[in-house]
Amino acid sequence: MTGLAVFFWLVPVLRGNVIGLVGDEVETVDYVVGQRIRARRVAMGVSQADLGKSIGVRFQQVQKYESGANRVSASRLWAIAEALEVHISHFFVGIRASDPETGDKTAPTDEFCFLKEHDAVEMLSIYRSLKPAHKHAVLSFVRTLTQDAPVRRFDEAK
């Protein structure tokens, strides 16, 4: 997708229209995007001050973005994505319009909310450094730990 195409795709997302939200409810999406920014920043070992310097704002503004207190403009989100070395869509992938368990259609849900946990980010960082054979062994082991709990496997079709 070209930069211009991504921009036109993101405009409705930033307004909340893609997930069917209007008005104040959009703030929930701002919070989820902020949490994604924080998770990626922490995973990369970047401080709020360093991120702020690379995108031209103070660390307090980064705090506000991460908490969802301030909305991130499209151009600023683009700069954040470049600074954190991810595609801009990284901040929206996995956000669904409703919670399938409760049927609540008023608030978006984030399939990657587990990335808010420091241990999860550390585990993913360690996992990335493993050899392919070790990755398979670790994944098999973790699956055995969750045999009794329903877990969505990402290698299966939805």
Side-chain angles (χ1 to χ4, degrees):
M1 206 183 289
T2 68
L4 192 56
V6 169
F7 174 76
F8 285 110
W9 177 81
L10 282 176
V11 169
V13 172
L14 293 173
R15 287 188 176 148
N17 296 338
V18 166
I19 59 172
L21 298 177
V22 293
D24 293 336
E25 295 169 351
V26 176
E27 293 174 11
T28 306
V29 176
D30 295 334
Y31 176 78
V32 172
V33 169
Q35 290 302 298
R36 294 278 180 88
I37 292 169
R38 180 185 177 281
R40 179 64 181 171
R41 178 185 60 74
V42 169
M44 291 187 66
V46 176
S47 70
Q48 289 178 332
D50 289 341
L51 177 59
K53 186 181 291 185
S54 69
I55 63 171
V57 299
R58 295 178 184 250
F59 79 91
Q60 294 94 334
Q61 185 62 41
V62 173
Q63 286 176 331
K64 291 176 183 179
Y65 290 153
E66 291 182 353
S67 69
N70 284 10
R71 291 183 175 169
V72 184
S73 71
S75 58
R76 185 75 68 205
L77 190 60
W78 191 278
I80 291 169
E82 287 182 346
L84 297 178
E85 300 173 5
V86 293
H87 190 275
I88 197 164
S89 64
H90 167 81
F91 302 110
F92 299 97
V93 172
I95 299 175
R96 293 187 318 238
S98 63
D99 185 346
E101 293 177 16
T102 65
D104 180 11
K105 297 196 182 303
T106 61
T109 58
D110 183 6
E111 291 181 355
F112 301 108
C113 64
F114 65 91
L115 292 175
K116 290 187 272 187
E117 300 173 30
H118 178 72
D119 292 345
V121 173
E122 181 182 7
M123 186 182 307
L124 289 173
S125 178
I126 292 168
Y127 181 81
R128 286 179 40 202
S129 68
L130 296 175
K131 295 177 183 175
H134 292 153
K135 286 181 179 181
H136 181 70
V138 167
L139 189 55
S140 295
F141 171 70
V142 172
R143 284 180 178 149
T144 64
L145 295 175
T146 61
Q147 285 178 352
D148 296 333
V151 175
R152 177 176 169 224
R153 290 181 55 157
F154 288 92
D155 60 346
E156 297 174 349
K158 288 184 179 179

